[in-house]
Amino acid sequence: MLAVLAQRSGHSPATMTLGTFWTEVARLGGYLARRRDGPPGWRTIWKGWLSLQTLLEGAHLALHLHL
């Protein structure tokens, strides 16, 4: 999960903090993370979490399909 999110966001998995992880999940849900924006809401995080799950399913299928 961390590797897929890090690749998608352009971060290194080794240097991602917990805060960075959840901010990137929220970005998948539509959070813009501008300087004056408040923290993301639970709906935004949930939308991002569902998007991350879809990305993980695609990565899992790509590894196991022999095309």
Side-chain angles (χ1 to χ4, degrees):
M1 183 179 300
L2 180 60
V4 169
L5 186 62
Q7 179 65 35
R8 175 80 161 78
S9 65
H11 290 21
S12 169
T15 61
M16 282 187 80
T17 63
L18 190 59
T20 306
F21 176 84
W22 285 112
T23 299
E24 293 303 327
V25 169
R27 281 179 181 259
L28 288 175
Y31 181 61
L32 298 177
R34 296 174 295 203
R35 185 169 26 119
R36 293 186 180 226
D37 287 344
W42 64 269
R43 286 184 184 174
T44 304
I45 292 173
W46 182 250
K47 288 177 186 178
W49 185 257
L50 292 177
S51 295
L52 180 58
Q53 295 302 314
T54 302
L55 288 170
L56 289 171
E57 186 175 349
H60 179 75
L61 287 172
L63 286 174
H64 293 334
L65 288 176
H66 303 288
L67 300 175

